[in-house]
Amino acid sequence: YPVSVYNVREDYVNFDDSKVYGFEFDLQTNFSYLPAPLNGVVLSFNATRLWSETYLPLYFKVTKWDPAKRRNVVDFEKSYWEYLKTSLPDQVKWISNVSLGYDYKGFSSRISMAYQARYLRDLSSAGEGENVKFENQYVNNFLRFDASLSQKIGKHFMLMANLANFTGESERQYQYLPKYPRSENRYGTTIDLGIQYKF
């Protein structure tokens, strides 16, 4: 049989010597101590900041000319490994939520905002050379808005309306830079109407 050459690659699932740390701030309050009509205002705010670091193994392959095979082959004695410091895949740096509402007797309303910063989705599966960053894939940042309304009618009934993603924000993935898109999921705006009855 002729001589066969195999290229063996490794894909890391869990990285060695990885770190994740951060802090979260959460605030929930109402302004019932203020004079009317400001006493019906409610506010909630949440922000999370995370940092992560890990080391991506990169294989720098050195080749040499093999006269017997009449082509370049890997010189395993001169090839070497280096470790590139990077963030953990699927680790978001910033997440924040803000909700502002108003309650008055049986009426309640909320408008909310959700923000998520971009994050590294997939590292290059090649794991070779210094140009590995050009193969990295990211999920782009997004800013989403939702709203909800409810009104009690008597002791048992409540009318409800929910408006989700009313700005039509989409989820986008790209490779290396945002100008190189890979995929986009568009969910559009949804409206839910309902009647609730409590016994």
Side-chain angles (χ1 to χ4, degrees):
Y1 293 101
V3 177
S4 298
V5 177
Y6 298 93
N7 288 327
V8 179
R9 294 179 176 178
E10 289 185 354
D11 288 338
Y12 270 60
V13 176
N14 296 313
F15 294 92
D16 301 326
D17 301 323
S18 300
K19 297 178 181 178
V20 179
Y21 50 96
F23 65 89
E24 179 179 7
F25 176 79
D26 186 80
L27 171 68
Q28 298 183 30
T29 186
N30 59 56
F31 296 89
S32 58
Y33 52 87
L34 295 178
L38 297 178
N39 59 347
V41 177
V42 293
L43 173 67
S44 65
F45 174 78
N46 180 279
T48 303
R49 178 67 169 101
L50 296 170
W51 291 268
S52 67
E53 62 181 44
T54 190
Y55 294 90
L56 173 65
L58 297 180
Y59 185 61
F60 287 79
K61 185 166 53 178
V62 178
T63 61
K64 64 180 180 180
W65 177 257
D66 189 334
K69 298 177 181 177
R70 294 189 293 178
R71 61 183 174 88
N72 285 326
V73 297
V74 178
D75 187 343
F76 292 102
E77 292 183 358
K78 293 184 179 179
S79 298
Y80 59 96
W81 288 90
E82 283 190 3
Y83 289 86
L84 174 67
K85 186 177 180 180
T86 182
S87 60
L88 279 170
D90 291 325
Q91 183 64 66
V92 182
K93 294 182 179 180
W94 272 107
I95 303 174
S96 61
N97 301 277
V98 180
S99 177
L100 181 65
Y102 191 82
D103 294 334
Y104 179 73
K105 295 183 178 180
F107 173 77
S108 179
S109 64
R110 297 287 186 277
I111 183 169
S112 60
M113 179 210 76
Y115 172 77
Q116 179 177 281
R118 74 144 197 174
Y119 63 90
L120 178 64
R121 180 68 181 90
D122 289 310
L123 295 166
S124 170
S125 60
E128 296 179 356
E130 58 186 357
N131 294 326
V132 67
K133 63 181 179 180
F134 299 121
E135 302 295 328
N136 290 346
Q137 298 176 29
Y138 299 85
V139 174
N140 210 350
N141 60 322
F142 74 89
L143 182 64
R144 170 179 168 150
F145 290 89
D146 304 315
S148 65
L149 297 171
S150 66
Q151 174 66 58
K152 290 182 179 179
I153 300 176
K155 295 182 179 180
H156 303 286
F157 285 95
M158 179 184 289
L159 298 178
M160 299 176 296
N162 296 313
L163 184 62
N165 193 25
F166 60 79
T167 55
E169 183 71 347
S170 61
E171 295 180 359
R172 302 168 303 278
Q173 294 190 28
Y174 63 90
Q175 182 170 323
Y176 181 52
L177 293 174
K179 65 180 180 180
Y180 304 122
R182 291 185 59 90
S183 66
E184 181 175 6
N185 295 325
R186 298 181 181 180
Y187 302 104
T189 302
T190 60
I191 301 174
D192 299 322
L193 302 174
I195 300 176
Q196 184 182 69
Y197 179 80
K198 289 186 177 181
F199 294 95

